[in-house]
Amino acid sequence: MAPNLSELSAKLYQSYTSKDYEVCKKLLPAIKIELIKNGILIPDLNKDSPEYIKDLTLTRKILELGALVSIHVLDFESFYSFFTQLRMFYFSSSNVLNNSEERSKIVSLYLLTLLSDGDVTKFHSELEFFDKHIQNIEEDQLLSYPIKVDRWLMEGSYQKAWDLLEAGSKVPEFDVFTKTLMKAVREEIARNTELAYDKLPLSSIKALLFFNNEKETESFAKERDWKISRGYIIFEEEATAETPVEALDIVDKTLDYSINIESIV
């Protein structure tokens, strides 16, 4: 390892350990330049000398730290850039490296960014790719997290999705997406509720959308231009005979469950 690269890498590890992510962000461009100078930023995975494998392992670790730092500073464009480079290290058919301990976390973060952006089509396309390259993907504790969130949203199992998100995770980087995904759950329930009902009691909407109090519920209603009158929320568009049966069924089940839980509490 070249002296400059060794020194910069040591500073990066130290800054990351101390959670000084802004310093990490400033160090990463200079480290990338050193990786290019040493010819190890883009791997030649046909080489298998012990020294070269050691260098590639270092490069992968730096790119992983770059990806994690990007999440912490909410620089998702940078995260995508680091992840694109990491794909060559994670999924090349001629990969001579051992599996990385960080792979599951970083792939999960990538899937969470797609869910948070609402890019469901790409999410499923990428998940199909990962499923071919990662054995027993749904049994992986980290990878199963975004998979469950997506599946339960698709099924209309909003309570399960909400409970999973509300419980949080043991991965601090995952929690970056919690608020965004919770908002997505609420928006999906709200959309189906508008289709299924003319009006509902404010207390029912509070339970249905997982709000803590009626003030929060009223604020959300105003954002969606719902009318509030005499303890009821009246939706802008009235339900019609064309209302999808599936949407009505999903909302009914969620509403019954939410109200039952609230009455128990």
Side-chain angles (χ1 to χ4, degrees):
M1 190 192 308
N4 285 347
L5 183 55
S6 178
E7 292 169 8
L8 288 169
S9 299
K11 288 181 182 178
L12 178 65
Y13 298 149
Q14 182 180 3
S15 299
Y16 185 80
T17 302
S18 61
K19 299 182 179 180
D20 195 340
Y21 303 122
E22 289 298 331
V23 170
C24 291
K25 188 177 179 180
K26 291 176 182 177
L27 288 169
L28 283 163
I31 293 176
K32 271 194 172 185
I33 290 172
E34 291 300 319
L35 291 174
I36 293 171
K37 286 180 180 179
N38 286 273
I40 54 175
L41 179 61
I42 299 175
D44 181 351
L45 297 173
N46 292 314
K47 293 182 180 180
D48 58 2
S49 70
E51 190 63 31
Y52 189 68
I53 291 175
K54 183 179 178 181
D55 287 341
L56 290 188
T57 303
L58 167 69
T59 301
R60 185 179 65 185
K61 182 62 177 177
I62 289 170
L63 293 174
E64 288 173 337
L65 289 178
L68 295 173
V69 166
S70 299
I71 292 295
H72 282 290
V73 301
L74 307 181
D75 186 346
F76 301 112
E77 185 176 343
S78 176
F79 172 79
Y80 284 128
S81 176
F82 280 111
F83 185 76
T84 298
Q85 291 174 302
L86 282 166
R87 292 183 86 113
M88 293 183 288
F89 291 86
Y90 289 162
F91 303 115
S92 172
S93 59
S94 58
N95 202 338
V96 296
L97 301 176
N98 293 326
N99 283 335
S100 167
E101 294 180 359
E102 298 287 1
R103 185 178 72 168
S104 291
K105 180 195 288 189
I106 290 174
V107 172
S108 296
L109 286 169
Y110 174 63
L111 291 173
L112 286 170
T113 62
L114 296 178
L115 278 182
S116 296
D117 287 341
D119 198 343
V120 178
T121 301
K122 190 168 185 179
F123 176 94
H124 287 114
S125 173
E126 292 285 44
L127 183 58
E128 185 177 349
F129 172 83
F130 297 141
D131 190 36
K132 293 177 181 177
H133 292 81
I134 302 174
Q135 291 185 346
N136 304 317
I137 189 170
E138 294 195 35
E139 295 177 13
D140 186 294
Q141 185 176 2
L142 298 178
L143 287 165
S144 65
Y145 186 85
I147 293 172
K148 287 177 180 177
V149 172
D150 170 71
R151 178 176 297 153
W152 289 336
L153 284 175
M154 293 285 289
E155 291 175 355
S157 301
Y158 301 125
Q159 186 70 48
K160 289 182 178 180
W162 187 269
D163 288 345
L164 179 64
L165 293 168
E166 190 174 43
S169 68
K170 296 180 181 180
V171 184
E173 292 87 357
F174 283 12
D175 294 335
V176 168
F177 302 97
T178 299
K179 287 184 179 180
T180 302
L181 292 171
M182 281 181 154
K183 183 179 179 181
V185 173
R186 276 199 176 114
E187 292 291 340
E188 185 65 15
I189 296 172
R191 186 183 67 81
N192 284 324
T193 303
E194 289 174 331
L195 291 172
Y197 294 94
D198 293 340
K199 64 180 181 179
L200 279 174
L202 184 63
S203 58
S204 295
I205 293 293
K206 178 175 76 72
L208 185 63
L209 299 179
F210 310 109
F211 282 117
N212 296 316
N213 53 63
E214 291 190 355
K215 185 176 180 180
E216 291 179 354
T217 313
E218 290 174 358
S219 177
F220 181 85
K222 289 176 182 177
E223 289 176 5
R224 294 190 68 87
D225 293 325
W226 291 345
K227 297 176 182 178
I228 303 173
S229 177
R230 298 181 180 180
Y232 275 81
I233 287 182
I234 302 168
F235 306 112
E236 187 68 21
E237 296 182 3
E238 294 186 354
T240 67
E242 298 178 357
T243 299
V245 174
E246 183 181 353
L248 182 59
D249 186 52
I250 287 171
V251 175
D252 279 341
K253 288 179 180 178
T254 307
L255 182 59
D256 289 343
Y257 187 87
S258 300
I259 292 174
N260 287 337
I261 289 294
E262 188 178 62
S263 64
I264 292 171
V265 174

